[in-house]
Amino acid sequence: RRFTFTRDRGPDPDGFDGRPGAFSPDGRLIALGLDEEGIRLWDAKDLTPDGPALRETGGNVWALAFAPDGQKLASVTIQGQAALWDVEKRSLLWGPFTVARGPVMGVSISADGRLLATAGPGGVKLWDVATGDARGTIGDVGVPAGDVAFSPSGSTLAFVHEHGGTVEVWDVASRSRTATLRVAGA
């Protein structure tokens, strides 16, 4: 069924309302970026707010990702910031801190919950989930990435070039490209 999360404005005619959303792996919660800086967690069953808003995001949230176990929630912002939250305690684990100069378009957490990937103007960067420390890059530095996703096993990572048309698939351990896909019609 359709529903609107905020009262201040509805979706645009193209169907994107400017706020990202993500379901928790167990389907119990929906995380939604707010018009103002922050994240609101919603009960997916009755569509009511679940706890206080998470406000310390470092800017307007552009993308969200739950860890596969549902215990952590990552956010990235238009202002190039990343933050990681403890979902149960509704507390900030680390961040916000700068991960890119400019908008960060995508975020993903590996299957084992150890790596966070961010996609932005500087490409795909990897971060240690426990500490927030940098763990290197995937792809060519400086090639803008528009979104990123780990495979269910966590051994592979894919990202789309910011301006579309190309998807790169990488082996995470060896940091080697395994495939380049051209998207038809892009």
Side-chain angles (χ1 to χ4, degrees):
R1 68 183 178 174
R2 292 179 156 261
F3 51 89
T4 302
F5 284 105
T6 60
R7 293 181 301 263
D8 57 343
R9 67 178 184 154
D12 75 13
D14 296 323
F16 178 65
D17 67 1
R19 291 177 291 276
F23 276 93
S24 62
D26 64 6
R28 190 180 67 80
L29 295 173
I30 303 169
L32 186 76
L34 302 174
D35 271 349
E36 300 296 323
E37 180 176 328
I39 303 164
R40 169 72 71 190
L41 296 174
W42 295 78
D43 181 292
K45 185 176 181 180
D46 62 16
L47 301 177
T48 58
D50 188 299
L54 309 175
R55 293 285 179 192
E56 299 173 60
T57 58
N60 294 326
V61 175
W62 191 260
L64 295 162
F66 279 95
D69 64 8
Q71 295 180 9
K72 295 176 182 69
L73 174 66
S75 65
V76 291
T77 71
I78 295 171
Q79 292 81 6
Q81 303 287 303
L84 188 71
W85 303 86
D86 180 302
V87 173
E88 190 65 33
K89 295 178 183 176
R90 305 297 199 270
S91 62
L92 188 62
L93 294 171
W94 51 254
F97 67 91
T98 302
V99 296
R101 291 184 180 174
V104 182
M105 310 297 278
V107 63
S108 186
I109 300 176
S110 63
D112 64 7
R114 294 182 180 180
L115 286 176
L116 175 89
T118 59
V124 175
K125 297 179 182 178
L126 300 176
W127 310 91
D128 186 298
V129 167
T131 64
D133 293 338
R135 292 291 179 239
T137 60
I138 294 282
D140 298 325
V141 176
V143 174
D147 203 357
V148 63
F150 280 100
S151 67
S153 70
S155 62
T156 305
L157 182 139
F159 69 92
V160 63
H161 289 197
E162 182 178 2
H163 301 292
T166 304
V167 175
E168 293 187 27
V169 181
W170 287 73
D171 178 275
V172 176
S174 67
R175 306 283 167 87
S176 61
R177 183 178 15 232
T178 60
T180 300
L181 311 169
R182 304 275 183 239
V183 180

